[in-house]
């Protein structure tokens, strides 16, 4: 006899959203008929994500075993199939967190997956209801127990030391699939299925600890520009008519701008770019802001390439935050669209750090917006020298990603990826370099007029 299903509150909600029919049938019947639509793995230093997309919600139980570190997930009402097996071959040898995935038929109607991890981890397992092009998603996020410290990485990069402690070699994972959970005493690190895991990603977002100032030596102040390539991972952003994905193009532009920033000095002080994501994985909007604040960035530049419903929309635009209404209905529309990234990218709402959000709501953004408009103005001017502009002035709307109260923050729509001409241009290395050059010139111009503040400001 199989043990009864143990659904998390989140999962229950998902099931409820499936409607009356679902309630009549009961959850077990639903899960039994589920079939897998796709499996994906998004490896990254911050965390590695495994997504299992299915046509119906999956009922799961999971257990984390710390020694050697591994996560076992049982999918109920499922028989082993080719789609699930694909996961095994999708683990990349250079995945920073996952060493291997084993998968097998644990019991009739129960598939067990075991994720062998490269180091101590804090996993999160949650499900997402259908959104955009996605059906139901079961998400396994594997966060390293010890998150890399971005600030020391930046400083180490500067001094030439290696900031990345080498990941320990994968532990030998000798457990046969079947005996993993059986009769293992529950330890503190293991949670009952359905209990939300602690929020490791958001640990970085906690407002309380103010990191040490980014000063290597008394006179040598590092000027940090946070670059925020939009979307990533499960969230492709906008897609052009030729299939160009926004998340890929903006990451390339961010890399090019990073190179330029890292080779620049302002008033004798070295500059460093800090990327809120440096690979193809999703970063929630609030986490992007929190990451920039954690390194005490002097500027925040979010890079996008958006789409409109008609192919003729064209030109770059630059946005700042608005405290009240949006400066135009188009700006409001765009902000709403960008703010949906968390739904598509996939956020574990059970562990969202509300402290961060509340703390930031209490802080005034008036001064930030004034500085952001200045930054946006010079960036717009420079982009206008090499590309068409959509609007000749900086627009304002309630973009979630621009809400750091203490960092001048702008969002640059580099072009309309939905416009066939602009998409074609965005794909070329030459255009990406011109964009990076223009943004670099704008950043230098901003600092020429608005020298970076001393590092003593309070957070
Ligand atoms: Zn975007």
């Amino acid at each position: 006899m199989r043990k009864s299903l143990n659904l998390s509150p989140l999962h229950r909600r998902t099931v409820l959203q499936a409607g009356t029919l679902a309630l009549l049938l009961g959850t077990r019947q639903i899960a039994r008929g589920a079939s897998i639509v796709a499996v994906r793995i998004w490896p990254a230093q911050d965390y590695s994500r495994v997504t299992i997309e299915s046509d119906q919600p999956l009922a799961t139980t999971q257990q984390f075993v710390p020694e050697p570190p591994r996560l076992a997930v049982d999918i109920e009402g499922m028989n082993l199939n080719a789609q699930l097996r694909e996961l095994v071959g999708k683990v990349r040898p250079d995945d920073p967190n996952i060493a291997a995935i084993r998968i097998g038929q644990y019991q009739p109607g129960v598939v067990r997956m075991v994720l062998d991890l490269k180091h101590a981890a804090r996993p999160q397992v949650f499900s997402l209801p259908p959104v955009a092009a996605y059906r139901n998603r079961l998400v396994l996020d594997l966060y390293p127990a010890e998150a890399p410290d971005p600030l020391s990485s930046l400083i180490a990069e500067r001094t030439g030391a290696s900031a990345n402690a080498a990941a320990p070699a994968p532990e030998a994972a000798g457990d046969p699939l079947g005996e993993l959970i059986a009769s293992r005493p529950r330890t503190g690190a293991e949670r009952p299925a359905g209990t939300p895991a602690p929020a490791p990603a958001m640990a970085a977002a906690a407002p309380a600890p103010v990191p040490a100032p980014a000063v290597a030596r008394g006179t040598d102040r590092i000027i940090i520009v946070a670059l925020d390539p939009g979307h990533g991972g499960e969230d492709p952003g906008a897609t052009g008519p030729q299939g160009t994905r926004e998340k890929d193009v903006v990451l390339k532009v961010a890399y090019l701008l990073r190179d330029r920033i890292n080779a620049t000095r302002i008033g004798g002080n070295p500059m460093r770019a800090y990327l809120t994501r440096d690979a193809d994985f999703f970063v929630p909007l609030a986490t992007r802001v929190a990451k920039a604040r954690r390194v005490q960035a002097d500027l925040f530049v979010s890079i996008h390439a958006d789409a409109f419903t008609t192919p003729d929309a064209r030109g770059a635009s630059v946005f700042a935050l608005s405290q009240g209404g949006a400066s135009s209905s188009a700006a409001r529309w765009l902000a709403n669209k960008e703010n949906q990234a968390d739904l598509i990218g996939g956020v574990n709402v059970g562990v969202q750090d509300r402290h961060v959000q509340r703390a930031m709501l209490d802080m005034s953004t008036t001064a930030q917006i004034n500085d952001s408009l200045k930054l946006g103005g010079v960036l717009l001017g420079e982009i206008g020298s090499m590309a068409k502009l959509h609007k000749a002035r900086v627009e304002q709307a309630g973009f979630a990603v621009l809400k750091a109260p203490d960092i001048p923050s702008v969002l640059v729509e580099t072009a309309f990826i939905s416009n066939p001409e602009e998409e074609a241009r965005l794909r070329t290395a030459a255009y990406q370099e011109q964009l990076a050059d223009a943004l670099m010139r704008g950043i230098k111009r901003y600092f020429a007029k608005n020298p970076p503040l001393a590092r003593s400001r309070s957070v």
Side-chain angles (χ1 to χ4, degrees):
M1 203 45 204
R2 240 180 318 128
K3 56 192 177 305
S4 65
L5 291 179
N6 192 354
L7 293 180
S8 68
L10 181 67
H11 203 128
R12 269 185 214 290
R13 208 158 51 231
T14 309
V15 172
L16 287 174
Q17 279 167 356
T20 325
L21 182 64
L23 290 173
L24 288 173
L25 288 172
T27 52
R28 185 176 296 243
Q29 282 83 349
I30 292 174
R32 190 169 287 288
S35 52
I36 304 298
V37 175
V39 295
R40 296 179 286 274
I41 302 182
W42 306 103
Q45 209 77 44
D46 283 33
Y47 72 103
S48 294
R49 168 173 287 187
V50 175
T51 307
I52 300 171
E53 195 181 345
S54 56
D55 64 344
Q56 293 171 35
L58 297 176
T60 60
T61 53
Q62 70 268 359
Q63 185 175 3
F64 180 64
V65 184
E67 208 34 63
R70 61 208 186 276
L71 174 71
V73 179
D74 287 351
I75 306 177
E76 312 229 5
M78 169 104 7
N79 289 315
L80 190 55
N81 53 57
Q83 290 103 316
L84 274 177
R85 257 191 233 277
E86 273 178 37
L87 274 176
V88 174
K90 285 197 170 187
V91 179
R92 291 194 345 209
D94 61 348
D95 187 312
N97 300 293
I98 303 172
I101 296 181
R102 292 172 283 152
I103 193 158
Q105 191 77 47
Y106 179 54
Q107 285 172 9
V110 181
V111 169
R112 170 162 295 179
M113 290 188 305
V114 178
L115 284 69
D116 295 309
L117 305 175
K118 291 186 173 173
H119 42 69
R122 288 194 259 176
Q124 292 186 24
V125 179
F126 57 100
S127 43
L128 297 166
V131 64
Y134 290 125
R135 313 289 294 272
N136 296 275
R137 285 178 288 174
L138 172 68
V139 178
L140 319 176
D141 283 351
L142 290 315
Y143 289 89
E146 285 185 29
D149 176 19
L151 201 53
S152 57
S153 301
L154 275 176
I155 292 170
E157 195 182 297
R158 184 172 171 272
T159 55
S162 168
N164 293 331
E171 303 262 4
D175 304 80
L177 204 57
E179 63 179 61
L180 234 165
I181 292 177
S183 73
R184 218 171 242 282
R186 190 174 292 285
T187 71
E190 295 163 20
R191 293 176 307 281
T195 307
M202 289 301 174
V210 176
V215 181
R217 267 170 243 106
T219 53
D220 220 8
R221 180 201 187 292
I222 303 176
I223 297 164
I224 296 170
V225 180
L227 300 179
D228 177 52
H231 314 280
E234 293 276 292
D235 175 17
T239 304
Q242 285 187 64
T244 315
R245 296 181 305 186
E246 177 183 5
K247 68 172 182 178
D248 299 328
V249 171
V250 298
L251 186 58
K252 283 184 186 156
V253 174
Y255 285 153
L256 293 169
L257 183 51
R258 173 173 69 183
D259 293 345
R260 284 152 178 76
I261 288 171
N262 288 351
T264 301
R265 294 178 83 88
I266 297 279
N269 294 312
M271 288 185 94
R272 276 292 167 270
Y274 170 70
L275 266 58
T276 57
R277 76 168 173 99
D278 58 0
D280 188 10
F281 68 106
F282 183 69
V283 182
L285 297 173
T287 305
R288 294 169 191 259
V289 177
K291 284 178 138 193
R293 296 189 77 209
R294 184 132 192 269
V295 298
Q296 295 194 328
D298 293 279
L299 298 179
F300 180 93
V301 180
S302 193
I303 306 173
H304 290 255
D306 222 313
F308 196 59
T309 45
T310 56
D312 51 328
R314 63 171 61 236
S317 29
V318 177
F319 296 85
L321 184 64
S322 159
Q323 267 180 325
S327 57
S328 71
S329 55
R332 187 182 312 116
W333 182 85
L334 189 67
N336 284 339
K337 198 149 81 69
E338 294 294 1
N339 289 349
Q340 283 171 13
D342 282 355
L343 291 176
I344 298 161
V347 172
N348 189 359
V349 290
V351 299
Q352 282 257 53
D353 194 334
R354 293 193 176 79
H355 286 102
V356 179
Q357 314 234 9
R358 214 176 305 131
M360 296 209 319
L361 282 178
D362 291 342
M363 297 173 82
S364 167
T365 48
T366 310
Q368 187 261 54
I369 290 174
N370 285 339
D371 287 339
S372 301
L373 289 171
K374 289 180 200 163
L375 171 63
V378 289
L379 292 178
L380 204 57
E382 292 297 340
I383 298 171
S385 72
M386 49 76 60
K388 276 199 172 65
L389 293 182
H390 186 66
K391 274 271 174 72
R393 66 182 183 96
V394 181
E395 291 230 65
Q396 287 179 266
F399 290 91
V401 83
L402 300 182
K403 287 189 175 170
D406 41 10
I407 309 172
S409 302
V410 295
L411 185 143
V412 179
E413 294 286 356
T414 51
F416 278 89
I417 207 167
S418 50
N419 179 304
E421 276 172 43
E422 295 204 338
E423 180 196 25
R425 220 173 296 143
L426 270 173
R427 292 166 72 104
T428 68
Y431 191 74
Q432 291 165 3
E433 290 191 14
Q434 285 174 39
L435 264 174
D437 286 338
L439 293 171
M440 186 70 242
R441 288 195 303 270
I443 290 167
K444 282 201 280 196
R445 269 179 58 196
Y446 174 82
F447 279 128
K449 280 192 187 161
N450 309 275
L453 299 170
R455 271 287 180 211
S456 58
R457 65 176 180 264
S458 59
V459 178

